[in-house]
Amino acid sequence: MRVEGETSTYQKIKRGVRQGCNLSPDLFSPYSEFIMRNIEGLRGIHVGGHIINNLRYADDIVLIAENTKDLQRLLDIVREESQKRGLELNSKKTEIMVVSRKETPPNINMTPNSNNETSLNI
């Protein structure tokens, strides 16, 4: 930092911007883009001749897959790439929604955390 021509000593930044800061979306967007590029081309659903495996708005991400194996793969990649950049998924804010024509929805068990301590069941 430089104040009135004087340069301070180096300080390691341990935290990001405050909640609601105007810079937050501008700083998060490049991180999100780098993370999500790693799932481009992976399986998702077909819509209008395109494969869609994610939807994003601000810091919310929806992963879309036709089966649990593909969904877990997408989740694993997003988690690993996030960790490389100092971010982590919040399993308490993570939800699963199944869209199925079957009368009985499938049993789903996803693990959003690398420590496998928290599983999401539906």
Side-chain angles (χ1 to χ4, degrees):
M1 183 181 322
R2 188 178 316 158
V3 178
E4 296 179 8
E6 298 278 330
T7 303
S8 69
T9 59
Y10 175 79
Q11 299 292 319
K12 184 176 181 180
I13 298 173
K14 297 179 183 178
R15 299 273 181 196
V17 295
R18 292 180 186 239
Q19 179 96 16
C21 175
N22 293 338
L23 286 175
S24 184
D26 292 333
L27 295 173
F28 181 76
S29 185
Y31 276 87
S32 175
E33 193 59 37
F34 286 127
I35 292 165
M36 299 310 285
R37 282 185 185 166
N38 290 282
I39 63 170
E40 283 181 8
L42 296 180
R43 296 175 61 149
I45 60 170
H46 296 274
V47 177
H50 299 279
I51 297 173
I52 297 176
N53 62 14
N54 74 87
L55 300 172
R56 292 177 274 166
Y57 181 76
D59 63 345
D60 294 321
I61 298 171
V62 177
L63 298 177
I64 304 168
E66 289 185 344
N67 58 59
T68 57
K69 181 181 175 185
D70 290 344
L71 182 58
Q72 185 66 60
R73 182 170 182 218
L74 292 172
L75 187 58
D76 290 343
I77 292 170
V78 170
R79 180 189 63 235
E80 290 167 15
E81 293 301 319
S82 296
Q83 288 174 342
K84 287 179 188 177
R85 290 164 178 80
L87 302 173
E88 61 184 56
L89 302 180
N90 186 341
S91 60
K92 292 178 183 173
K93 293 183 177 181
T94 303
E95 300 285 337
I96 298 173
M97 182 174 89
V98 175
V99 178
S100 175
R101 292 186 175 148
K102 297 177 182 177
E103 287 186 32
T104 306
N107 184 24
I108 297 185
N109 182 13
M110 307 297 309
T111 53
N113 294 329
S114 59
N115 58 16
N116 292 332
E117 289 178 7
T118 305
S119 292
L120 301 171
N121 297 300
I122 189 166

